Amino acid sequence: MLDINSEHLGVPMDALMDNAGEATAEVILTEIGTGKKIAVVCGVGNNAGDGFVAARNLTRHNDVTVLLAHPPSEIRTESAKRAYERVKHIASSSVGVPLSKFDVIVDALLGTGNYTEVREPYRTLINRINGSKTKVVSIDVPSGLGTDLAVEPDITVTFTEMKEGMTPENSGKIFVQDIGIPADAHRYVGPGEFAYYPIRGAESHKGQNGRILVIGGGPFTGAPALAGLAAYRMGVDLVHIATPAPSFGPISSYSPNLIVHGLVDETLNAKDIKPVQQLIGMVDAVLIGPGLGLGRGTQEAVRKIVKACDKPLVIDADAIAAVAEDLSVLEGKTAVITPHAKEFETLTGESLPKDLEERAKAVEEAARKLGVVLLAKGHIDVVSDGHLTKLNRTGNPGMSVGGTGDVLAGEVVALLSKGTTAYNAARISAFTNGKAGDLAFEKLGYSLMATDVIDNVPEVLRRYLKRLQ
């Protein structure tokens, strides 16, 4: 992830790959020694590229073989392809090669990413590595970390910082190496965040890639529709919208893709709590707030719905004021709250500082106290889960037009419904929304509308996901 963000900032991927491979080889030489028979087992991405470079450096003092999980033609990135060319003379298929004959196995199969399961041929290879009773060194992270099957290394050489979920129990002795990642790659979200975007499986079917419920509308009809359409563009399968009676017709007419459920009265109120809860049972994540209004009955209904909700949820717009009156409804929730500056003050009682560093600290502290993820919108967005904090500088002044916040909320709830963690959903969405707005601005300038941002979300996903597939 950080390597992709670094490249986005102008640092060549080849340089980072060289540094990572050299750092891995140096740790192996220092910790294990020379004159060893080493197998470097490689996948097809940049993690494999790190492995190719490590293999090249290790050949000076060891007998090294590169074992491929896939044919060389399937290596994905240009940097990894170039690194492979320099070790192809010592490379072969991993099929049928007994791993127990090696003194050291270097795991360069899978890097960081949003893997929910390990698929073939990696499952077989990981089982073979773990069953080899050979000393194992993983590059960056143990392949499969966080899934039901992972490499069990003696050593992990990781880069710049410890990765989420790494412990001595699952990663062995951990060495953190500096490979020249610029500070802004840590501080700001970038295309590397898409490593955590859930790629749908080839055999998935309707509903398996996210079902959401938007609770919104009444006084305003456009906001929930914009959120729902943005969620579709972010990759969900089904969008349900629960809305008061006057909004049912207008929202239904916006798009046949929206599954609209009419509620009882002109605004959300206590009568709607039970039917809304039934709809929540049908979906994977919930967005509440867009276009609801600030009526007393509506605000009380919001609090009761949030308190009872057992699904990940996004609290946006008018719902922020509702929960601010009783923050106890947030206890135990997996939630992303998306305030602008005034809403942040309503939520916390504190004004956001103008200084960026102080602003980031204030958002982080508030997120920690509330036990939620905050995506504080502004010229530079701040995303924090109370422990980790990142900034987002995509976007432009043209996005001050109404509705872009609803689009952002729809993107966040889409990712929550697909199983993405709240923090990752917020930071991917912040980058995506701003970048889609930037693409719209290139064509339309200050004439852009919220729907133009939605229309450009697919291009953002296309550009950055193709590098990871």
Side-chain angles (χ1 to χ4, degrees):
M1 183 192 79
L2 289 175
D3 56 354
I4 295 173
N5 285 351
S6 298
E7 187 179 37
H8 184 64
L9 294 169
V11 179
M13 182 67 73
D14 286 24
L16 294 173
M17 192 170 285
D18 281 346
N19 291 345
E22 289 171 8
T24 300
E26 181 179 342
V27 170
I28 292 171
L29 293 171
T30 301
E31 292 295 308
I32 302 175
T34 60
K36 307 297 182 182
K37 193 173 179 62
I38 300 176
V40 183
V41 188
C42 298
V44 293
N46 282 338
N47 191 247
D50 297 341
F52 298 145
V53 176
R56 189 179 79 239
N57 282 272
L58 289 167
T59 55
R60 299 168 190 164
H61 305 288
N62 301 277
D63 178 8
V64 181
T65 301
V66 172
L67 299 177
L68 302 175
H70 294 273
S73 60
E74 296 184 24
I75 296 171
R76 286 198 311 252
T77 72
E78 293 305 315
S79 294
K81 288 176 183 177
R82 286 190 287 271
Y84 172 74
E85 285 299 312
R86 301 183 69 178
V87 294
K88 64 182 181 181
H89 61 287
I90 56 170
S92 68
S93 170
S94 60
V95 176
V97 178
L99 298 181
S100 57
K101 74 176 185 177
F102 295 96
D103 302 311
V104 182
I105 297 171
V106 179
D107 159 34
L109 288 170
L110 300 169
T112 57
N114 196 43
Y115 301 106
T116 55
E117 62 177 339
V118 176
R119 299 174 183 172
E120 295 295 356
Y122 299 105
R123 292 192 73 86
T124 296
L125 276 168
I126 290 173
N127 279 319
R128 288 174 59 197
I129 290 170
N130 290 342
S132 68
K133 302 189 184 302
T134 299
K135 188 173 287 291
V136 176
V137 179
S138 287
I139 298 182
D140 203 20
V141 295
S143 291
L145 181 67
T147 72
D148 67 327
L149 180 64
V151 169
E152 301 166 1
D154 300 281
I155 293 171
T156 298
V157 184
T158 194
F159 311 121
T160 306
E161 61 186 14
M162 290 267 288
K163 304 306 185 293
E164 185 177 349
M166 287 177 60
T167 66
E169 289 72 29
N170 60 34
S171 302
K173 189 174 182 180
I174 300 169
F175 292 82
V176 180
Q177 303 292 93
D178 180 9
I179 60 170
I181 299 287
D184 278 2
H186 296 269
R187 195 67 174 136
Y188 290 88
V189 296
E193 318 305 312
F194 284 100
Y196 299 102
Y197 182 95
I199 303 297
R200 64 181 66 197
E203 297 182 2
S204 63
H205 54 78
K206 184 172 68 176
Q208 286 188 325
N209 301 289
R211 301 163 299 172
I212 72 161
L213 173 65
V214 180
I215 306 166
F220 309 99
T221 64
L226 289 169
L229 293 171
Y232 270 128
R233 289 305 191 195
M234 203 64 170
V236 299
D237 283 349
L238 294 169
V239 173
H240 296 265
I241 298 179
T243 192
S247 300
F248 176 84
I251 294 175
S252 298
S253 70
Y254 289 141
S255 173
N257 297 293
L258 303 173
I259 306 168
V260 187
H261 305 265
L263 300 175
V264 178
D265 292 328
E266 293 188 358
T267 57
L268 183 75
N269 59 49
K271 299 177 186 177
D272 301 314
I273 294 174
K274 186 174 181 179
V276 165
Q277 288 175 336
Q278 291 173 339
L279 291 171
I280 289 173
M282 299 167 50
V283 300
D284 303 303
V286 177
L287 164 60
I288 188 166
L292 281 176
L294 298 171
R296 177 174 294 183
T298 296
Q299 296 278 285
E300 181 60 28
V302 167
R303 286 189 288 273
K304 290 182 177 179
I305 291 168
V306 170
K307 185 173 184 177
C309 184
D310 61 353
K311 302 291 176 65
L313 74 162
V314 178
I315 299 169
D316 183 49
D318 299 326
I320 295 175
V323 301
E325 291 188 24
D326 182 6
L327 294 174
S328 69
V329 302
L330 297 174
E331 291 178 5
K333 304 299 177 188
T334 297
V336 179
I337 305 180
T338 56
H340 53 56
K342 288 184 179 179
E343 291 168 338
F344 183 89
E345 186 171 355
T346 298
L347 183 67
T348 67
E350 303 288 339
S351 298
L352 275 175
K354 291 186 177 180
D355 177 79
L356 181 59
E357 291 304 316
E358 292 301 316
R359 186 183 184 93
K361 289 178 183 177
V363 173
E364 184 172 295
E365 182 178 352
R368 185 165 54 251
K369 288 180 178 178
L370 294 171
V372 301
V373 170
L374 287 178
L375 199 176
K377 298 176 287 192
H379 170 59
I380 294 180
D381 305 317
V382 182
V383 183
S384 182
D385 65 357
H387 304 283
L388 302 171
T389 300
K390 278 209 164 189
L391 307 176
N392 173 59
R393 55 188 169 194
T394 61
N396 58 81
M399 293 179 70
S400 63
V401 66
T404 56
D406 303 307
V407 174
L408 174 62
E411 293 161 347
V412 177
V413 74
L415 291 175
L416 287 180
S417 76
K418 296 162 80 67
T420 309
T421 67
Y423 180 61
N424 287 339
R427 58 188 180 144
I428 293 170
S429 298
F431 179 85
T432 300
N433 197 59
K435 188 64 179 178
D438 290 341
L439 294 176
F441 189 80
E442 289 176 10
K443 305 170 193 172
L444 303 166
Y446 294 108
S447 299
L448 71 82
M449 299 182 293
T451 48
D452 299 313
V453 178
I454 295 173
D455 290 343
N456 280 281
V457 169
E459 175 60 17
V460 177
L461 299 187
R462 186 193 69 79
R463 286 188 184 187
Y464 298 120
L465 287 178
K466 71 178 182 179
R467 298 188 54 185
L468 299 166
Q469 293 176 324

